């Protein structure tokens, strides 16, 4: 027997679950399939040695659509907001690294190598000539996938969502 559904969502991580929610809200029946034994993707809680560990992203940029979704899901009261300029840290190679929250802070931080910073600066300068910015590609090729993820998810999320921009 072949099952047919209007929408099939592969992966029950946060993106898949939000997609299913939006589709069902729009009246589209959606089936979510997940390879692991639980939903949530990288987001999950784990008890270890008597401690509760919250794994996955620890913060997010409180955009209006995201805050509206939290309200709609009845979890808005559970949001704990940190001061916008509070320092943020990421764990890299078993060491906490300060996340730069502005372009000047990025170029003076030790989160990435001088070579990666130079490649990003070069790409920013060439941006107007090419008509597009290839930030992710240059960071990935020089700094690796993990550093690219750290930068895009933390640095750019903080800068691009800044009310000052």
């Amino acid at each position: 027997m072949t099952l047919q559904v209007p929408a099939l969502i592969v992966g029950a991580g946060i993106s898949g679950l939000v997609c299913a929610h939006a589709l069902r809200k729009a009246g589209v029946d959606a089936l979510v399939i997940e390879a692991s034994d639980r939903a949530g993707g990288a987001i999950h809680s784990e008890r270890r040695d008597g401690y509760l560990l919250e794994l996955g992203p620890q913060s997010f940029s409180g955009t209006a659509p995201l805050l509206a979704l939290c309200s709609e899901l009845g979890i808005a009261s559970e949001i704990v907001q940190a001061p916008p300029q509070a320092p943020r840290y990421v764990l890299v190679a078993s060491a906490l690294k300060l996340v730069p929250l502005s372009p000047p802070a990025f170029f003076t931080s030790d989160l990435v190598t001088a070579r990666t910073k130079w490649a990003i600066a070069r790409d920013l300068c060439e941006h107007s000539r090419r008509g597009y910015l290839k930030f992710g590609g240059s960071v990935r090729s020089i700094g690796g996938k993990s550093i690219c993820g750290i930068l895009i998810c933390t640095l750019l999320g903080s800068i691009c969502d800044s009310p000052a921009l």
Side-chain angles (χ1 to χ4, degrees):
M1 179 172 108
T2 302
L3 177 65
Q4 292 188 357
V5 293
L8 176 65
I9 300 165
V10 179
I14 190 68
S15 296
L17 295 173
V18 169
C19 180
H21 176 76
L23 286 170
R24 289 196 175 146
K25 188 175 165 184
V28 177
D29 191 28
L31 175 65
V32 179
I33 58 173
E34 170 59 45
S36 72
D37 61 351
R38 62 170 185 76
I43 302 172
H44 66 285
S45 300
E46 183 179 307
R47 288 212 176 269
R48 194 183 304 164
D49 299 327
Y51 294 96
L52 177 64
L53 304 176
E54 297 294 346
L55 303 170
Q58 299 300 310
S59 65
F60 63 89
S61 297
T63 61
L66 186 54
L67 294 174
L69 176 63
C70 291
S71 181
E72 182 180 325
L73 296 174
I75 60 172
S77 63
E78 297 180 39
I79 296 173
V80 177
Q81 293 191 0
Q85 295 305 316
R88 292 175 177 89
Y89 296 88
V90 291
L91 188 64
V92 178
S94 300
L96 284 177
K97 299 279 188 175
L98 182 64
V99 173
L101 298 178
S102 69
F106 169 76
F107 284 105
T108 59
S109 85
D110 66 347
L111 190 59
V112 297
T113 65
R115 182 175 176 215
T116 300
K117 292 174 193 175
W118 175 249
I120 292 168
R122 184 186 64 234
D123 285 346
L124 289 170
C125 291
E126 293 176 359
H127 169 65
S128 60
R129 184 177 59 81
R130 280 193 312 260
Y132 64 92
L133 182 61
K134 62 175 191 169
F135 177 82
S138 64
V139 173
R140 217 177 356 266
S141 65
I142 295 165
K145 282 184 180 178
S146 65
I147 207 69
C148 184
I150 289 168
L151 290 173
I152 289 173
C153 293
T154 54
L155 172 64
L156 290 182
S158 298
I159 294 170
C160 294
D161 230 17
S162 170
L165 296 179

